Amino acid sequence: MSATSFGDDERYGAALAGLGTGHAWLYRLLDGFAPADAWDAVVAGRHPADPDHRLRRQATSERVARIESACVALGVSVSVLGVTAYPEVLAADHQAPPVLFSIGDPTPLVSWPRVAVVGTRSATAYGLGVASELGQRLSEAGVVVVSGLARGIDAAVHAGALRASAATPLLGVPGGPFDGRRPPSLAALAQAVGTRGALVGEQPPGTSPPRWAFAARNRIMAAASHAVVVVEAHRRSGSLHTVAAADARGVRVGAVPGSVRSPASAGTNELLATGTVPAYRDVEDVLAAVEATIAPTPSIRRPVRSVTPKRRRQTKVAGPSPLADHVRRALADEPASLEQIVVRCGRPLAEVALGLEQLLAADLAQESRGWWALPSR
Amino acid sequence: MLACIPSATLHGVSGRPVAVEVHVSSGLPGFTVVGLPDAAVREARDRVRAAFLSSGLAWPMRRITVNLAPSDERKHGAGLDLPIGIGLLVASGVVPASAVEGTAFVGEVGLDGTLRAVAGIVPLVAALDGCTVVVPEASAPDAALVGGRTVRSAATLAELVERLTSGRGWRPVARRRPAPETGCGVDLADVRGQSVGRRALEVAAAGGHHLLLVGPPGSGKTMLAQRLPGLLPPLESDEALEVTRVHSAAGLSLPGGLPSRPPFRAPHHGATEVALVGGGSAWLRPGEISLAHLGVLFLDELGEFAVRVLDALRQPLEEGKIRLSRARGSVELPARFQLVGAMNPCPCGEGVYPGSCQCDDLRKARYTRRLSGPLLDRFDLAVSLDRPVVEDLLGGPPAESSAVVARRVAAARQRSGPRPWRCNADIPPDALTTAAPLTPDAALLLERRLRSGALSARGLHRVRRVARTIADLDGDEILGERHVAEALQLRSARSTLLPTASR
């Protein structure tokens, strides 16, 4: 599992994964063949799993070298299922990636409780706040936070976990290769997660990921976790793939309820309304689900104080001016547009704008891409 | 044997005087046109000959040479048919030279001898200073808009020859009635709800700021944009003539005579670069930005325009004119327009509410990348529109009408009048300190925004310009906290389009 020494198994295993076949085909390519023999058979056009020679054209020695040098440059190690040492976290899964790429060492994670927190990329301030808090509290409770390193909820969860006081490891499952290009804005976060724990994935660096790769990694997250939490998902969100994958594996799934008016919560609210999954309101609910799955382990540290949100008494917090107070009453947890606030306040735009400006300065309101809401806790 | 008839040809949107010299001599019968004629002018020979025969006039079987002076400038269009024909009649002695003394002719002739209207009659007549101008009857009302010249008209070549030879009086030229004051025919009262959008429109009209409207389909972007000309102050008479000259040069009909309302142009997003900025192979025709001169250019679906086309707007936006240079020559066309852009927040159009967008990152980035950067920077105002609320559509209180808002706009323009710039949007950055002074509170507010990284130095100038206009609308001399706060909100849609924090 050292990143610098590449044997034939690693080298050709990585090259086979780089043919863009998907895990099912890759299984058949490696079935009864050592990676190097499978590669030679594909190149010679006599592999039984490739009777039409569809992979032959891409199977160049240049590709082998490119993937290997990209792995070495990024410090990525390669594990081939059943051939080389393979992380136990995923080894038992029926759809485990035949060839797994990793940064950091995922092996020790097997003794930790693990929870995947996923959600939409276009999240609301509410969702981002909940995700960040969940990440931090789970990490502090000694639970490995698993997420997909996408924008929105995924990024917020890991960012929250990195803020935790305890140094619990983290697991990141990016959809693309580890070269920090998908998406570029999260390269630093991915690196931090890799340092605190591990990144695993089935796309070799040095290649561009096929479109399906981003949906396919959802099964890896589900397979690696004891419970899955969906924070926000719109009606056809990719996070619902994770729910299906977790369901198929008997992994517990829960959803965070959201405003019935928020499209970003339409998918999660539907899961809750149809009774498909239970509601997870806070870290306690999640920990209870984890404990129901695995015998209580000493590594779970229950939070000292309850995290059930205290009733916030909004009227007690005074705004910086009567005008700001008036505008503040028009805000709620769910985001509102400037137009909606102006209508609710019934005052001219100039006054509303000034009120919002004062709230912003006093940290009593927050704005994201033109949408206003009360600050998340 | 020689006749010289004054006429004019079109160069961009202005006319250039042309002297049409016709020489008839003995020799082999023939007809030559020299002096850089284009195809349409060369074909004048066949049209004029047929028109002569149809009108019962004798075609001289002599050697005919036509020179178009100055001979080093390209002439185009069929407007030179008539002066060539008249020159021929004078040179062959049918019409006495004294009858055409000091008279210019512009017009196209048909094979049956009728006189047809030509494009650009207004700039053509304007170029013929100090002459009596004879034009086809159909062009006469437009030609009469120019003023300061005697305009005569005739319907056919035969009629014209008869009037010139017999000395009979001319028919009076029909005058167009001035356009009715309501002009654009749409009223701001029709727009329900949209308090932010309406306010942005008012500020745009008062300060001449370029405006960007961002909203999902059906949120009323087009409706708002169409109502901007109704809020702008009416055109002064010299401005009206300038607008008329451009429209006439483009061959557009001028139904209402001199316009009182600023023009409104809304080209489709399939428009090519030439259609938008002008140009073309035959002659340099004014594009949409010139047709929107002194008015409003509305680009709907801004994200669907080709990148090249949008980039071509940058120079005219900066300078108020467009210089078209081609191998054959170059012209400068006026293009001082107010730009209103409208676009969806993302390709699926639903990305307004957080979490409701279905676009993948790549498509969204490609969509917004088209106008991020220099063009986006030109918009002082950028507001997001919501779909209107049902209650507003089905009743609700009637909104303010265009007339009410236009009065406030006129008052604000009056306050900004004494400043040396045409409108507040033109205030240069170094003059903002004196032209847009801030109260201490307002300065503090801006400083806070700058420190938090939510505002860039360039953004600061734009906010101050807009705040200047808002203060003008309020009748205040110094920019207060509320003016600045409102100006900040009136450009808040930028953040929905920019992927990064660059504001």
Side-chain angles (χ1 to χ4, degrees):
Chain A
M1 292 276 293
S2 161
T4 43
S5 72
F6 259 50
D8 272 1
D9 288 339
E10 284 90 4
R11 181 176 303 125
Y12 290 104
L16 285 166
L19 293 175
T21 54
H23 65 269
W25 197 351
L26 195 51
Y27 267 122
R28 287 192 283 129
L29 285 173
L30 287 166
D31 188 21
F33 285 91
D37 298 339
W39 181 264
D40 288 343
V42 167
V43 171
R46 54 179 168 76
H47 200 295
D50 184 27
D52 313 328
H53 310 311
R54 277 160 57 193
L55 302 176
R56 197 169 159 189
R57 220 161 47 103
Q58 308 166 47
T60 59
S61 53
E62 183 267 331
R63 181 178 289 252
V64 180
R66 176 155 47 95
I67 292 176
E68 181 179 346
S69 64
C71 284
V72 172
L74 295 165
V76 172
S77 40
V78 180
S79 316
V80 185
L81 188 63
V83 180
T84 65
Y86 194 92
E88 227 181 302
V89 184
L90 288 169
D93 190 62
H94 69 288
Q95 286 181 330
V99 179
L100 187 74
F101 298 87
S102 51
I103 283 182
D105 190 0
T107 319
L109 296 184
V110 70
S111 56
W112 294 79
R114 301 173 298 275
V115 170
V117 185
V118 296
T120 179
R121 285 190 306 255
S122 45
T124 65
Y126 160 76
L128 295 174
V130 169
S132 158
E133 184 182 317
L134 261 182
Q136 184 174 351
R137 294 280 158 83
L138 282 172
S139 207
E140 279 165 3
V143 172
V144 174
V145 175
V146 181
S147 198
L149 290 172
R151 280 193 299 110
I153 298 293
D154 287 15
V157 168
H158 269 152
L162 285 167
R163 270 199 301 276
S165 47
T168 317
L170 305 173
L171 181 61
V173 189
F178 305 130
D179 48 17
R181 279 186 300 152
R182 283 291 188 104
S185 53
L186 296 180
L189 180 69
Q191 201 184 0
V193 171
T195 316
R196 268 278 287 275
L199 303 177
V200 297
E202 54 183 337
Q203 294 302 321
T207 59
S208 47
R211 284 184 72 89
W212 49 257
F214 293 86
R217 55 93 183 261
N218 291 323
R219 76 173 202 286
I220 305 181
M221 284 194 279
S225 309
H226 295 110
V228 172
V229 187
V230 189
V231 175
E232 270 187 328
H234 47 76
R235 207 167 284 282
R236 289 182 300 155
S237 169
S239 308
L240 304 180
H241 289 293
T242 316
V243 174
D247 247 5
R249 287 164 175 77
V251 173
R252 286 181 179 246
V253 187
V256 176
S259 162
V260 290
R261 287 198 185 142
S262 166
S265 286
T268 38
N269 284 342
E270 177 142 336
L271 289 174
L272 296 171
T274 53
T276 318
V277 303
Y280 289 173
R281 293 160 301 173
D282 53 22
V283 72
E284 293 280 351
D285 287 350
V286 182
L287 292 177
V290 176
E291 278 171 351
T293 313
I294 51 176
T297 52
S299 67
I300 290 195
R301 293 186 294 271
R302 302 307 295 259
V304 208
R305 57 191 164 78
S306 163
V307 294
T308 314
K310 295 187 196 81
R311 260 180 62 86
R312 276 188 298 165
R313 274 184 266 154
Q314 298 186 357
T315 42
K316 276 288 175 66
V317 188
S321 73
L323 174 65
D325 264 346
H326 182 79
V327 175
R328 190 182 145 86
R329 276 194 285 279
L331 291 177
D333 273 328
E334 112 197 34
S337 71
L338 185 60
E339 172 78 32
Q340 287 166 347
I341 300 172
V342 171
V343 171
R344 282 181 209 163
C345 288
R347 300 251 185 122
L349 178 61
E351 288 180 19
V352 174
L354 186 56
L356 286 172
E357 208 59 50
Q358 290 170 353
L359 290 174
L360 202 60
D363 266 336
L364 292 172
Q366 61 177 27
E367 186 248 332
S368 161
R369 302 178 88 80
W371 291 85
W372 291 85
L374 293 172
S376 54
R377 281 153 282 145
Chain B
M1 289 300 108
L2 177 74
C4 182
I5 307 291
S7 185
T9 183
L10 210 53
H11 188 82
V13 295
S14 49
R16 293 275 175 89
V18 171
V20 178
E21 298 165 349
V22 181
H23 186 251
V24 177
S25 66
S26 54
L28 274 181
F31 191 111
T32 323
V33 183
V34 297
L36 290 185
D38 78 346
V41 180
R42 264 196 305 272
E43 287 161 0
R45 171 185 53 185
D46 302 311
R47 280 194 298 272
V48 173
R49 183 167 186 273
F52 267 48
L53 300 180
S54 307
S55 309
L57 297 162
W59 181 256
M61 293 306 284
R62 320 264 306 264
R63 180 158 189 80
I64 303 164
T65 309
V66 175
N67 179 38
L68 309 172
S71 45
D72 58 345
E73 238 173 45
R74 191 157 279 279
K75 331 287 183 306
H76 57 75
L80 295 174
D81 288 4
L82 186 57
I84 290 174
I86 296 296
L88 209 49
L89 290 168
V90 174
S92 54
V94 179
V95 172
S98 58
V100 297
E101 185 75 51
T103 307
F105 294 82
V106 178
E108 176 184 344
V109 299
L111 300 189
D112 57 354
T114 54
L115 302 186
R116 294 191 178 143
V118 292
I121 194 73
V122 175
L124 291 176
V125 172
L128 294 164
D129 212 356
C131 302
T132 301
V133 187
V134 178
V135 300
E137 196 170 15
S139 294
D142 292 346
L145 294 175
V146 179
R149 297 162 185 52
T150 313
V151 173
R152 310 228 183 271
S153 72
T156 66
L157 187 60
E159 181 201 330
L160 179 56
V161 171
E162 205 225 301
R163 288 194 197 280
L164 288 174
T165 49
S166 70
R168 243 178 59 197
W170 298 83
R171 262 184 293 179
V173 170
R175 296 247 167 202
R176 289 258 157 89
R177 259 178 300 164
E181 188 43 45
T182 48
C184 49
V186 289
D187 198 294
L188 203 55
D190 308 335
V191 181
R192 300 283 174 155
Q194 303 297 15
S195 52
V196 177
R198 297 168 64 96
R199 178 68 174 167
L201 206 66
E202 180 177 339
V203 174
H209 305 282
H210 301 304
L211 167 66
L212 180 64
L213 301 167
V214 183
S219 54
K221 304 183 289 278
T222 310
M223 232 179 143
L224 275 172
Q226 283 168 341
R227 281 150 181 81
L228 180 55
L231 302 185
L232 292 170
L235 294 174
E236 309 277 334
S237 61
D238 53 335
E239 288 176 331
L241 196 62
E242 213 175 325
V243 169
T244 306
R245 265 221 312 268
V246 179
H247 284 229
S248 172
L252 298 186
S253 67
L254 308 165
L258 278 183
S260 62
R261 283 277 142 216
F264 179 80
R265 302 292 302 181
H268 184 254
H269 58 72
T272 60
E273 194 186 333
V274 165
L276 209 62
V277 302
S281 51
W283 51 292
L284 298 174
R285 185 183 185 282
E288 291 289 344
I289 59 168
S290 298
L291 295 176
H293 179 55
L294 299 175
V296 176
L297 179 70
F298 175 49
L299 300 183
D300 203 355
E301 303 296 351
L302 200 57
E304 302 291 340
F305 277 85
V307 178
R308 241 180 93 82
V309 172
L310 291 181
D311 277 349
L313 290 179
R314 277 157 51 183
Q315 184 243 341
L317 274 171
E318 201 72 48
E319 299 175 5
K321 60 197 174 200
I322 174 91
R323 186 159 187 82
L324 297 171
S325 294
R326 299 288 188 270
R328 289 176 177 177
S330 65
V331 292
E332 201 169 75
L333 303 178
R336 186 172 299 287
F337 56 91
Q338 189 171 0
L339 180 62
V340 179
M343 65 185 297
N344 295 332
C346 64
C348 76
E350 298 301 323
V352 264
Y353 198 89
S356 59
C357 172
Q358 303 282 328
C359 307
D360 62 50
D361 293 357
L362 204 64
R363 259 185 87 200
K364 200 168 166 179
R366 207 178 292 146
Y367 185 75
T368 49
R369 199 170 45 212
R370 292 198 174 183
L371 71 159
S372 54
L375 183 64
L376 198 55
D377 264 343
R378 306 294 316 174
F379 290 105
D380 287 354
L381 300 166
V383 291
S384 292
L385 303 179
D386 299 348
R387 287 210 181 87
V389 189
V390 181
E391 287 77 42
D392 282 343
L393 284 180
L394 296 178
E400 275 182 321
S401 70
S402 287
V404 176
V405 180
R407 267 200 293 281
R408 284 203 298 268
V409 169
R413 287 244 176 187
Q414 202 150 30
R415 266 175 223 117
S416 69
R419 283 180 221 122
W421 305 283
R422 202 178 51 88
C423 59
N424 289 346
D426 289 349
I427 303 178
D430 49 2
L432 280 170
T433 333
T434 47
L438 297 165
T439 63
D441 283 348
L444 202 65
L445 198 160
L446 282 173
E447 191 188 324
R448 212 161 51 217
R449 279 274 186 151
L450 281 167
R451 280 194 199 287
S452 72
L455 190 66
S456 68
R458 202 198 312 240
L460 175 68
H461 299 321
R462 307 212 164 274
V463 168
R464 274 182 93 163
R465 280 187 202 117
V466 173
R468 172 73 270 166
T469 305
I470 296 171
D472 284 344
L473 280 166
D474 279 2
D476 287 332
E477 201 37 56
I478 296 175
L479 311 191
E481 217 178 352
R482 48 179 285 154
H483 304 134
V484 172
E486 187 173 6
L488 281 166
Q489 287 311 321
L490 284 178
R491 64 198 298 277
S492 54
R494 281 174 62 85
S495 66
T496 64
L497 295 174
L498 291 174
T500 52
S502 60
R503 288 172 192 188

PDB file of all heavy atoms in Angstrom, chain B residues 140-160:
ATOM      1  N   ALA B 140     -41.473  62.394 -49.963  1.00  0.00           N
ATOM      2  CA  ALA B 140     -41.592  63.821 -49.676  1.00  0.00           C
ATOM      3  C   ALA B 140     -41.859  64.132 -48.202  1.00  0.00           C
ATOM      4  O   ALA B 140     -41.209  65.009 -47.630  1.00  0.00           O
ATOM      5  CB  ALA B 140     -42.658  64.432 -50.568  1.00  0.00           C
ATOM      6  N   PRO B 141     -42.801  63.416 -47.531  1.00  0.00           N
ATOM      7  CA  PRO B 141     -43.056  63.769 -46.128  1.00  0.00           C
ATOM      8  C   PRO B 141     -41.820  63.608 -45.260  1.00  0.00           C
ATOM      9  O   PRO B 141     -41.572  64.440 -44.378  1.00  0.00           O
ATOM     10  CB  PRO B 141     -44.151  62.788 -45.716  1.00  0.00           C
ATOM     11  CG  PRO B 141     -44.770  62.329 -46.980  1.00  0.00           C
ATOM     12  CD  PRO B 141     -43.694  62.344 -47.999  1.00  0.00           C
ATOM     13  N   ASP B 142     -41.036  62.534 -45.502  1.00  0.00           N
ATOM     14  CA  ASP B 142     -39.821  62.348 -44.719  1.00  0.00           C
ATOM     15  C   ASP B 142     -38.811  63.447 -45.028  1.00  0.00           C
ATOM     16  O   ASP B 142     -38.164  63.982 -44.123  1.00  0.00           O
ATOM     17  CB  ASP B 142     -39.190  60.987 -45.023  1.00  0.00           C
ATOM     18  CG  ASP B 142     -40.040  59.840 -44.508  1.00  0.00           C
ATOM     19  OD1 ASP B 142     -40.954  60.126 -43.710  1.00  0.00           O
ATOM     20  OD2 ASP B 142     -39.782  58.695 -44.903  1.00  0.00           O
ATOM     21  N   ALA B 143     -38.690  63.795 -46.324  1.00  0.00           N
ATOM     22  CA  ALA B 143     -37.726  64.813 -46.725  1.00  0.00           C
ATOM     23  C   ALA B 143     -38.083  66.148 -46.089  1.00  0.00           C
ATOM     24  O   ALA B 143     -37.208  66.937 -45.733  1.00  0.00           O
ATOM     25  CB  ALA B 143     -37.688  64.931 -48.243  1.00  0.00           C
ATOM     26  N   ALA B 144     -39.389  66.401 -45.925  1.00  0.00           N
ATOM     27  CA  ALA B 144     -39.823  67.675 -45.374  1.00  0.00           C
ATOM     28  C   ALA B 144     -39.463  67.814 -43.897  1.00  0.00           C
ATOM     29  O   ALA B 144     -39.478  68.906 -43.346  1.00  0.00           O
ATOM     30  CB  ALA B 144     -41.328  67.823 -45.560  1.00  0.00           C
ATOM     31  N   LEU B 145     -39.149  66.674 -43.221  1.00  0.00           N
ATOM     32  CA  LEU B 145     -38.782  66.728 -41.802  1.00  0.00           C
ATOM     33  C   LEU B 145     -37.499  67.514 -41.581  1.00  0.00           C
ATOM     34  O   LEU B 145     -37.257  68.042 -40.512  1.00  0.00           O
ATOM     35  CB  LEU B 145     -38.595  65.305 -41.244  1.00  0.00           C
ATOM     36  CG  LEU B 145     -39.821  64.413 -41.172  1.00  0.00           C
ATOM     37  CD1 LEU B 145     -39.415  63.028 -40.705  1.00  0.00           C
ATOM     38  CD2 LEU B 145     -40.836  65.013 -40.223  1.00  0.00           C
ATOM     39  N   VAL B 146     -36.647  67.562 -42.618  1.00  0.00           N
ATOM     40  CA  VAL B 146     -35.323  68.156 -42.443  1.00  0.00           C
ATOM     41  C   VAL B 146     -35.430  69.652 -42.183  1.00  0.00           C
ATOM     42  O   VAL B 146     -34.771  70.189 -41.315  1.00  0.00           O
ATOM     43  CB  VAL B 146     -34.448  67.871 -43.676  1.00  0.00           C
ATOM     44  CG1 VAL B 146     -33.090  68.510 -43.513  1.00  0.00           C
ATOM     45  CG2 VAL B 146     -34.323  66.375 -43.872  1.00  0.00           C
ATOM     46  N   GLY B 147     -36.280  70.340 -42.915  1.00  0.00           N
ATOM     47  CA  GLY B 147     -36.450  71.772 -42.677  1.00  0.00           C
ATOM     48  C   GLY B 147     -35.324  72.585 -43.290  1.00  0.00           C
ATOM     49  O   GLY B 147     -34.211  72.086 -43.519  1.00  0.00           O
ATOM     50  N   GLY B 148     -35.601  73.852 -43.578  1.00  0.00           N
ATOM     51  CA  GLY B 148     -34.574  74.727 -44.125  1.00  0.00           C
ATOM     52  C   GLY B 148     -34.313  74.521 -45.599  1.00  0.00           C
ATOM     53  O   GLY B 148     -33.395  75.108 -46.155  1.00  0.00           O
ATOM     54  N   ARG B 149     -35.063  73.639 -46.249  1.00  0.00           N
ATOM     55  CA  ARG B 149     -34.878  73.425 -47.674  1.00  0.00           C
ATOM     56  C   ARG B 149     -36.248  73.383 -48.344  1.00  0.00           C
ATOM     57  O   ARG B 149     -37.208  72.958 -47.711  1.00  0.00           O
ATOM     58  CB  ARG B 149     -34.165  72.097 -47.942  1.00  0.00           C
ATOM     59  CG  ARG B 149     -32.782  72.103 -47.356  1.00  0.00           C
ATOM     60  CD  ARG B 149     -32.242  70.737 -47.217  1.00  0.00           C
ATOM     61  NE  ARG B 149     -30.952  70.702 -46.544  1.00  0.00           N
ATOM     62  CZ  ARG B 149     -30.645  71.253 -45.385  1.00  0.00           C
ATOM     63  NH1 ARG B 149     -31.543  71.983 -44.738  1.00  0.00           N
ATOM     64  NH2 ARG B 149     -29.468  71.115 -44.853  1.00  0.00           N
ATOM     65  N   THR B 150     -36.314  73.824 -49.593  1.00  0.00           N
ATOM     66  CA  THR B 150     -37.556  73.706 -50.335  1.00  0.00           C
ATOM     67  C   THR B 150     -37.604  72.289 -50.910  1.00  0.00           C
ATOM     68  O   THR B 150     -36.686  71.878 -51.605  1.00  0.00           O
ATOM     69  CB  THR B 150     -37.592  74.727 -51.479  1.00  0.00           C
ATOM     70  OG1 THR B 150     -37.194  75.988 -50.957  1.00  0.00           O
ATOM     71  CG2 THR B 150     -38.980  74.815 -52.055  1.00  0.00           C
ATOM     72  N   VAL B 151     -38.668  71.578 -50.572  1.00  0.00           N
ATOM     73  CA  VAL B 151     -38.798  70.214 -51.066  1.00  0.00           C
ATOM     74  C   VAL B 151     -39.924  70.171 -52.087  1.00  0.00           C
ATOM     75  O   VAL B 151     -41.016  70.677 -51.839  1.00  0.00           O
ATOM     76  CB  VAL B 151     -39.076  69.237 -49.912  1.00  0.00           C
ATOM     77  CG1 VAL B 151     -39.377  67.849 -50.450  1.00  0.00           C
ATOM     78  CG2 VAL B 151     -37.894  69.186 -48.958  1.00  0.00           C
ATOM     79  N   ARG B 152     -39.640  69.648 -53.268  1.00  0.00           N
ATOM     80  CA  ARG B 152     -40.675  69.477 -54.296  1.00  0.00           C
ATOM     81  C   ARG B 152     -40.762  67.986 -54.592  1.00  0.00           C
ATOM     82  O   ARG B 152     -39.800  67.247 -54.390  1.00  0.00           O
ATOM     83  CB  ARG B 152     -40.279  70.207 -55.574  1.00  0.00           C
ATOM     84  CG  ARG B 152     -39.861  71.641 -55.359  1.00  0.00           C
ATOM     85  CD  ARG B 152     -40.582  72.528 -56.352  1.00  0.00           C
ATOM     86  NE  ARG B 152     -40.172  73.905 -56.245  1.00  0.00           N
ATOM     87  CZ  ARG B 152     -40.768  74.781 -55.431  1.00  0.00           C
ATOM     88  NH1 ARG B 152     -41.756  74.389 -54.641  1.00  0.00           N
ATOM     89  NH2 ARG B 152     -40.378  76.036 -55.401  1.00  0.00           N
ATOM     90  N   SER B 153     -41.926  67.568 -55.077  1.00  0.00           N
ATOM     91  CA  SER B 153     -42.045  66.146 -55.332  1.00  0.00           C
ATOM     92  C   SER B 153     -42.813  65.888 -56.619  1.00  0.00           C
ATOM     93  O   SER B 153     -43.560  66.745 -57.093  1.00  0.00           O
ATOM     94  CB  SER B 153     -42.768  65.457 -54.172  1.00  0.00           C
ATOM     95  OG  SER B 153     -44.133  65.796 -54.208  1.00  0.00           O
ATOM     96  N   ALA B 154     -42.596  64.721 -57.182  1.00  0.00           N
ATOM     97  CA  ALA B 154     -43.321  64.302 -58.378  1.00  0.00           C
ATOM     98  C   ALA B 154     -43.522  62.805 -58.285  1.00  0.00           C
ATOM     99  O   ALA B 154     -42.738  62.108 -57.637  1.00  0.00           O
ATOM    100  CB  ALA B 154     -42.533  64.661 -59.627  1.00  0.00           C
ATOM    101  N   ALA B 155     -44.595  62.329 -58.928  1.00  0.00           N
ATOM    102  CA  ALA B 155     -44.898  60.906 -58.849  1.00  0.00           C
ATOM    103  C   ALA B 155     -44.237  60.139 -59.982  1.00  0.00           C
ATOM    104  O   ALA B 155     -43.833  58.994 -59.811  1.00  0.00           O
ATOM    105  CB  ALA B 155     -46.402  60.684 -58.866  1.00  0.00           C
ATOM    106  N   THR B 156     -44.136  60.759 -61.174  1.00  0.00           N
ATOM    107  CA  THR B 156     -43.533  60.055 -62.311  1.00  0.00           C
ATOM    108  C   THR B 156     -42.533  60.954 -63.021  1.00  0.00           C
ATOM    109  O   THR B 156     -42.526  62.176 -62.829  1.00  0.00           O
ATOM    110  CB  THR B 156     -44.597  59.641 -63.346  1.00  0.00           C
ATOM    111  OG1 THR B 156     -45.143  60.838 -63.908  1.00  0.00           O
ATOM    112  CG2 THR B 156     -45.712  58.820 -62.722  1.00  0.00           C
ATOM    113  N   LEU B 157     -41.726  60.337 -63.858  1.00  0.00           N
ATOM    114  CA  LEU B 157     -40.735  61.085 -64.621  1.00  0.00           C
ATOM    115  C   LEU B 157     -41.422  62.029 -65.603  1.00  0.00           C
ATOM    116  O   LEU B 157     -41.026  63.188 -65.749  1.00  0.00           O
ATOM    117  CB  LEU B 157     -39.818  60.094 -65.363  1.00  0.00           C
ATOM    118  CG  LEU B 157     -38.618  60.678 -66.093  1.00  0.00           C
ATOM    119  CD1 LEU B 157     -37.712  61.410 -65.118  1.00  0.00           C
ATOM    120  CD2 LEU B 157     -37.822  59.568 -66.794  1.00  0.00           C
ATOM    121  N   ALA B 158     -42.493  61.546 -66.230  1.00  0.00           N
ATOM    122  CA  ALA B 158     -43.208  62.354 -67.213  1.00  0.00           C
ATOM    123  C   ALA B 158     -43.776  63.605 -66.547  1.00  0.00           C
ATOM    124  O   ALA B 158     -43.673  64.720 -67.074  1.00  0.00           O
ATOM    125  CB  ALA B 158     -44.325  61.532 -67.854  1.00  0.00           C
ATOM    126  N   GLU B 159     -44.373  63.422 -65.359  1.00  0.00           N
ATOM    127  CA  GLU B 159     -44.944  64.561 -64.641  1.00  0.00           C
ATOM    128  C   GLU B 159     -43.857  65.577 -64.301  1.00  0.00           C
ATOM    129  O   GLU B 159     -44.024  66.786 -64.452  1.00  0.00           O
ATOM    130  CB  GLU B 159     -45.621  64.057 -63.352  1.00  0.00           C
ATOM    131  CG  GLU B 159     -46.265  65.170 -62.534  1.00  0.00           C
ATOM    132  CD  GLU B 159     -46.461  64.773 -61.062  1.00  0.00           C
ATOM    133  OE1 GLU B 159     -46.652  63.573 -60.786  1.00  0.00           O
ATOM    134  OE2 GLU B 159     -46.407  65.675 -60.211  1.00  0.00           O
ATOM    135  N   LEU B 160     -42.705  65.057 -63.877  1.00  0.00           N
ATOM    136  CA  LEU B 160     -41.597  65.925 -63.489  1.00  0.00           C
ATOM    137  C   LEU B 160     -41.115  66.743 -64.681  1.00  0.00           C
ATOM    138  O   LEU B 160     -40.908  67.954 -64.587  1.00  0.00           O
ATOM    139  CB  LEU B 160     -40.467  65.054 -62.914  1.00  0.00           C
ATOM    140  CG  LEU B 160     -39.207  65.772 -62.462  1.00  0.00           C
ATOM    141  CD1 LEU B 160     -39.530  66.851 -61.440  1.00  0.00           C
ATOM    142  CD2 LEU B 160     -38.209  64.784 -61.872  1.00  0.00           C
TER     143      LEU B 160
END
